[in-house]
Structures are given as C-alpha cells and as structure tokens.
C-alpha cells in the first residue's frame, strides 16, 4: 500500500479547488475541509481564503504539514495522525487559530514557542498523547490569552514542580492522568519509575492554577485519586464537576449542599461513604447529577432541590422519595426496584418526561401507576419481570407518551391504553399470545412496532383463515417499522395496505410461501432470513426494496428466484454458501452461482397451449406424411414390381 504523495494546493483559482476536494470532503457552506483517507500524504496546505476549518484526521502525519499563510483559519484538527512532534513554527502562518485539536497522537511535549503567536486561541485539545512533563507547558500561551478549554486527559503525567504554572483556563480536563491526590495546597501525581520520584517533582501547588477562572473541572477516571475535603472547597465555584471513578472524602455531601455552586455533577462509580446507604444531598444550583454505581439503596430529593436530570444506574435502589418537582428525567436502570416507584402522596412530577426503570425486579404495573407523571414522554420498563399491567395503569386520557418499552418481560396480554402520540412501542421478548382487537385503535400515530420473540404470538391463529390480532395491523396507518421476528409465524401476513411501512422484519419464523403482492409497495427493507421459504413470487413489483434478506431458507433452485436476483445481488452475505443456498432435488447448492444463470419463468399456461399446438401440428404432419407415403407407395409399388419383374424377366434369359 504505497502512500499517495499529494501536494494540496488550493488557491484562488477555482480550478484547483477540485484538486483538494477530490481527495477530501469540502463543505463550502460551513467553510470546512475534512481529509480522513489514511493513504493521503499531506505536505503543503494552501486553502481558498474563505476556508475556516480544516480537519486532517486519521492521516499519516509524523509531522504536521507545511501551512501557507491563511489568517482566516479558525479551527485546525489533526487527530489520530501518528504525530510525534510539532515544530515551533508550525502555526505561525495561521494567526487566526481559535481551536487546535492534536488529540490521539504520540506527542511528548509542545515546544515553548509554538502557541505564542496565537492571540485568539481558546481551545487546546491534547487528549491521549504521551505528555508527561507539565513544566514544559507553563507559559506556552501568548500573553493575555485565557483558554476556554484545555484537555490533557489520557496523558501519563509524571512530572510537575512548583515551577509549573498552568496556562490560565476555564475548563480544565485532567481525566486519566495518573493523579494521586488533591488537597487544598497541592495536586500530586503518581510516581513513575525512571522519572524523578520525589514529591517535589510530581506536584503542582494549587495556587499555580488560576482557580478563580475555573468553571469546569474533570478529574475523572483517576481510579486511586484521593480527593481531600479541603480540595473541594477550592473548586466550590466550578459549575461542571466530573469526579467519576475517584475517591471522595467524608463531608462530600455537606460540601455539595452548603458550599458548591455546581450545576452538573458526575460522581458515578466513586468510592464514598454513604450514610445509611442513602443518597439525599442536593446542591442549590444542581441541575444534573450522576450517582451511578455508588452502592446506594435509597434515594431522596426534597422539594427544594432544583434537580432536572438524575442518573442513578447500577445501584441497589429499591425505594425513592422524590418530591423535587422540577425533575425532568430519571434513569434508574439496573437497580432493585420490585415496586413501581411513585412520588409521595399529593406530589405530581409534572415536568418529568423521561423515566427509565429497565433491568429491575418489578412484576406488575399497578393501577394509576403513571398518574403522578402526567407529562411523561419516554417510559422504559424493559427487562423486568412484569406479568401484568393493570388496565388502569395508564390514565385513560391525556398521556402524551412518545415511546414505551415493555420488552423482555413476561407479559402474555396487554390492556389497550389510548396513547394518541405514541410513536414507538416495543413488546419484544414477552409471551404475548393475544392482542385485543381494539389494541391498535388507541395508537393512531404509531411508527415503530417491535413485537419480536414472542413465541406464542400466533398460537391462537395458526393459519391464514382463522381470525387473528394481525388482521388489525392495518389500523396503524403511520407504521414505518414492523418487527415480528422469531414469533412462530407460519403464513405471510396481508400488509398490502400499510402504505407507509418501510421496514419489515420476519426473521426466524416458519413462513413457507411469500408472495410480494401481499407486502406493502413502499417497502425498503425486508428480512425473511431463517424461515422455510421455498418459492418467492412477484418480487419485481417491490420497486423500492433495497435490502432483502432470505438467508437460511430452503429455497428451490428454480426460475421463481429470478425476481429476487436484483435485490439479492446487493446483499454482501449472498456469496456465503452457508447462509444463501438453494435445493435441487435433495442436493444443496450455493445460491450465488445459481443466480448468475437463472432465467425468468415462462408462463405455464401459455406454455401448455404451445406444447399442445406443437404436438398437434407434429402429429398432423406425421399422419399426413404417412398417408401421403402410403399413397405414393401404392401408386409406384405396382410399377416398381412391374419394372422389377420385367427386369427379372429380362435378366432370367441372360442367366439361362
Ligand atoms: C497536601 O498533600 C501533600 C502531599 O500529599 C502534603 O504534603 C500536604 O501536607 C497536604 N496539605 C494539607 C493541607 O493537608
Ligand atoms: C488569574 O487570572 C486573572 C484574570 O485573567 C489575572 O488577573 C490573574 O493575574 C491570574 N492569576 C494567576 C495566578 O495567574
Ligand atoms: C467563589 O466566588 C465568590 C464570588 O463569586 C468569591 O467570593 C469566592 O472567593 C469564590 N470562591 C473560590 C473558592 O474561588
Ligand atoms: C459520568 O461519567 C461516566 C464515566 O466517566 C460516564 O460514563 C457517564 O456518561 C457520565 N455521566 C453523564 C451524565 O455524563
Ligand atoms: C403473482 O401475482 C399474480 C397477479 O398479478 C397472481 O395471480 C399470482 O398468483 C402471483 N404469483 C404467485 C406465484 O402467487
Ligand atoms: C443496489 O445498490 C445500488 C447502489 O447502492 C442501488 O443503486 C440499487 O438501486 C440497488 N438495487 C436494489 C435492487 O436494491
């Protein structure tokens, strides 16, 4: 794989625009050029004057290219380029740079002068490099520049001294940087064998950071990082704090309630002492809180907590007391709820639009369960043990649910709630054997219906003639996606009238015959894999079909396959003889070679008549020939005899 040597040359001549855009994506609306083909070797970059963003991602660039003077470039990204160094003069021709992204390279340091010329620099992203010495980053900015964002996450930082003065920055990201401890006076990094291991070589005095500027602090994923309570006080004014996967001190909750001005706090998977396994803390300005994986059994938010979003996944929660009426979104996946959580009496969480309770232990949805959440839009209660949903669980009017996920439960029947704005309903992986005839009437807007992996779904309507819940599918006039895979379906459904349907999944059923005439004409995706289909018919009528799967079916090697050839040849799996095959007699053949030679079927009735006529003509010809032959024979036979006799008479005397 030889690398294409290319000199990008993009000047004011419109003709050379094509050169660059032939190798990269050019978006002249956002004034952005994106190059990400690994085979491209960029040596010199010159751009049309109006280009403002250049992304050179995933290229092979051990060194940055040579840039020609271009004061309008604001954003330069060179991520995943295998870059080992950045020469000091690299950005001199680009004085207008505001954002530099050098993430995911092999940089060990930056030369002290490389950023000095950039008066407008706001964002410097150095994530996932090999920078170990923070001293070398002191004083690298142009005087007076205050960075909006400095991201050093994923660097193996080992050296920092009292000489380390952090570039002034508002959002500081130090995730996964080998931090060992933070207290009110120093940030300490872990010892790295081979580097100076003394304490003075691996710590920054806190006062070398311009704390009053800091709004965002990310110390996450420093697994052994001990955060001292004195350090919390230092960062009280930060609004975004991510301390996930660290160790928090006693007094953290008190800090949050009394001192912190944080709006968004992530302390997921932190080690922290929890009083009586209960989380109750809330900050005065707290909007978003992630307390996943901290081992909490109970959760309590009082009326005065301004919280809007809470993530409390992977805990041991079985009860919650939520009186915080501003809450909009609650994520309680993978907890121990066995009863449906409802707010305290008299409280309605009118702002709540998202509630996720998947992977819990609930067995039923009680009457009026959703009454306290009148504006709920997204409700996920999948992966529980629900065997029953009370007919009055959903309020009879007014619920504006948009998505409802009941998958992976043990439901065998469902009430028929009226959900006029529901777009997505997932009933997969239950044991549903019957759906009320009125079930679909209450779901006029439904676009996606997933009802796969219900093995008993058709047990009450084993064949096409018996009345079936599926007869009512045509009431779903907005349906776009339908998934009825793995549900024991033996016949092909009449779905012709679902004009909006684009995707139909019927994998893993027992369908033997499929006539495309019963399928919706606008279908784009059809999955018939793992069925018992032998013949397909009328597929040429599905003009919009783009993705057809019929793998693992006992197809006949037969002219009826001719119709599906154009749909199948687009299928990358079709060349796999373990997935796509056909039978002739009892022999199994790979499908692809057969498709290459298959001919259209000739209409069998016309065929019959033509054979009949041909046979008749041939028979007539034979009879006529026989009669004619007989007559000719009769006519000449005597003469021939005569001739013969005469000759013999003539001859005899000769012999005598
Ligand atoms: C902060 O930590 C450093 C190093 O662990 C230690 O020397 C110093 O005494 C600590 N300061 C306070 C106030 O605890
Ligand atoms: C912190 O930033 C402010 C405002 O930019 C500046 O006046 C002050 O000198 C800085 N302090 C340090 C220690 O850098
Ligand atoms: C936080 O901000 C307040 C005023 O906005 C200021 O008085 C206080 O000193 C700041 N605290 C810290 C730790 O910077
Ligand atoms: C909190 O941090 C964890 C781990 O770093 C991350 O996976 C999660 O998405 C974060 N939570 C939020 C709400 O951003
Ligand atoms: C294909 O459609 C025609 C009507 O156009 C129908 O008569 C025929 O039965 C269908 N083919 C098969 C094999 O079902
Ligand atoms: C096959 O793929 C090509 C290109 O993606 C597309 O233009 C064509 O319409 C597809 N044909 C079918 C039958 O899906």
């Amino acid at each position: 794989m030889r690398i294409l040597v290319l000199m990008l040359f993009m000047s004011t001549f419109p003709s050379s625009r094509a050169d660059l855009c032939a190798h990269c994506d050019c978006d002249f609306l956002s004034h952005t050029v994106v190059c990400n083909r690994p085979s491209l070797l960029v040596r010199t970059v010159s751009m049309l004057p109006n280009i403002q963003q250049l992304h050179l991602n995933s290229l092979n660039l051990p060194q940055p290219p040579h840039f020609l003077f271009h004061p309008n470039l604001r954003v330069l990204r060179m991520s995943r380029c295998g870059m080992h160094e950045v020469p000091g003069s690299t950005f001199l021709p680009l004085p207008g740079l505001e954002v530099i992204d050098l993430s995911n390279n092999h940089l060990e340091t930056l030369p002290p002068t490389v950023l000095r010329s950039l008066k407008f620099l706001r964002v410097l992203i150095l994530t996932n490099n090999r920078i170990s010495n923070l001293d070398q980053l002191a004083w690298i900015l142009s005087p007076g520049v205050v960075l909006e964002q400095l991201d050093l996450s994923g660097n193996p930082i080992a050296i920092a001294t009292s000489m380390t003065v952090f570039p002034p920055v508002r959002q500081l990201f130090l995730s996964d940087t080998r931090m060992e401890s933070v207290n009110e006076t120093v940030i300490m990094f872990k010892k790295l064998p081979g580097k100076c291991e003394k304490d003075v070589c691996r710590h920054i005095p806190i006062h070398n950071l311009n704390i009053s500027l800091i709004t965002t602090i990310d110390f996450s994923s420093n697994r052994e990082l001990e955060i001292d309570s004195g350090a919390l006080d230092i960062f009280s004014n930060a609004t975004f704090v991510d301390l996930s996967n660290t160790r928090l001190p006693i007094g953290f909750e008190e800090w949050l309630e009394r001192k912190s001005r944080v709006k968004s706090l992530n302390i997921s998977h932190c080690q922290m002492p929890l009083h009586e396994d209960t989380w109750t803390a809330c900050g005065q300005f707290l909007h978003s809180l992630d307390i996943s994986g901290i081992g909490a059994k109970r959760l309590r938010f009082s009326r005065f907590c301004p919280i809007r979003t809470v993530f409390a996944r992977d805990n041991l929660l079985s009860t919650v007391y939520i009186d915080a009426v501003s809450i909009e979104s609650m994520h309680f996946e993978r907890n121990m709820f066995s009863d449906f959580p409802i707010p305290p009496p008299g409280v309605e969480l009118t702002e709540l639009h998202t509630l996720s309770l998947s992977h819990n232990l609930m067995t039923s949805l009680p009457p009026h369960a959703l009454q306290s959440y009148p504006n709920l839009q997204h409700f996920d209660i999948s992966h529980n043990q629900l065997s029953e949903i009370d007919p009055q669980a959903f309020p009879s009017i007014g619920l504006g649910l948009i998505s409802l996920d009941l998958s992976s439960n043990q439901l065998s029947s469902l009430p028929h709630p009226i959900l006029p704005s529901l777009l997505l309903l997932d009933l997969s992986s239950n044991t549903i054997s019957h759906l009320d005839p009125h079930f679909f009437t209450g779901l006029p807007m439904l676009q996606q219906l997933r009802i796969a992996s219900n093995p008993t779904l058709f047990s009450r309507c084993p064949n096409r003639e018996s009345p079936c819940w599926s007869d009512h599918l045509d009431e779903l006039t907005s349906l776009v996606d339908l998934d009825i895979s793995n549900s024991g379906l033996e016949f092909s459904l009449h779905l012709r009238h679902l004009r909006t349907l684009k995707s139909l999944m019927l994998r893993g059923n027992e369908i033997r015959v499929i006539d495309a005439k019963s399928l919706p004409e606008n279908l784009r995706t059809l999955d018939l894999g793992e069925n018992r289909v032998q013949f397909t018919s009328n597929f040429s009528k599905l003009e919009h079909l783009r993705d057809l799967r019929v793998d693992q079916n006992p197809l006949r090697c037969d002219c009826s396959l001719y119709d599906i050839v154009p749909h199948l040849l687009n299928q990358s799996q079709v060349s796999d003889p373990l997935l796509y095959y056909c039978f002739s007699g009892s022999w199994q053949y790979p499908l692809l070679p057969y498709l290459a030679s298959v001919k259209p079927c000739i209409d069998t009735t016309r065929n019959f008549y033509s054979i009949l006529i041909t046979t008749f003509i041939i028979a007539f010809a034979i009879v006529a020939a026989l009669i004619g032959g007989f007559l000719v024979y009769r006519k000449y036979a005597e003469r021939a005899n005569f001739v013969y006799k005469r000759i013999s008479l003539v001859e005899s005397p000769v012999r005598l």
Side-chain angles (χ1 to χ4, degrees), residues 15 28 47 111 119 146 154 264 377 382 394 443 470 497 517:
S15 58
F28 293 102
M47 289 163 282
K119 298 225 159 31
V146 175
S264 169
Q377 296 179 348
S382 61
F394 297 85
L443 312 172
S470 59
H497 29 256
K517 293 221 85 189

Side-chain angles (χ1 to χ4, degrees), residues 180-188 199 203 228:
E180 183 181 270
S181 66
V182 191
N183 65 17
E184 61 192 275
T185 52
V186 298
I187 296 178
M188 185 71 79
D199 283 4
H203 82 279
D228 187 88

Side-chain angles (χ1 to χ4, degrees), residues 437-452:
H438 301 296
F439 185 74
F440 297 125
T441 322
L443 312 172
M445 302 282 276
L446 198 67
Q447 293 186 353
Q448 293 186 44
L449 175 61
R450 301 192 191 130
I451 195 167

Side-chain angles (χ1 to χ4, degrees), residues 116-174:
R116 283 281 171 77
S117 58
L118 304 176
K119 298 225 159 31
F120 306 101
L121 193 65
R122 292 186 296 116
V123 175
L124 180 59
I125 301 176
L126 297 169
T127 318
N128 295 333
N129 276 287
R130 295 176 185 166
I131 296 169
S132 63
N133 189 344
L134 278 187
D135 279 359
Q136 294 167 346
L137 296 189
W139 313 114
I140 56 168
L141 300 181
S142 167
V145 166
V146 175
L147 284 183
E148 208 54 50
Q149 185 180 334
L150 172 63
D151 195 338
L152 285 166
S153 300
N155 281 288
I157 295 175
I159 294 191
T161 65
S162 54
M163 300 304 289
T164 303
V165 177
F166 244 80
V169 57
R170 291 184 217 282
Q171 302 174 23
L172 179 60
F173 294 84
L174 289 172

Side-chain angles (χ1 to χ4, degrees), residues 545-546 566-567 570:
L545 195 62
R546 290 285 168 274
H567 302 305
N570 268 9

Side-chain angles (χ1 to χ4, degrees), residues 139 144 146 165-166 168 207-213:
W139 313 114
V146 175
V165 177
F166 244 80
H207 59 77
N208 286 9
L209 248 79
N210 203 328
I211 297 291
S212 63
L213 291 174

Side-chain angles (χ1 to χ4, degrees), residues 341-365:
I342 48 172
V347 175
E348 261 196 0
L349 299 182
T350 51
E351 302 294 318
L352 192 78
H353 57 67
T354 301
L355 175 59
S356 178
L357 287 162
S358 75
H359 294 91
N360 276 286
L361 308 169
M362 280 172 272
T363 53
S364 71
L365 261 192

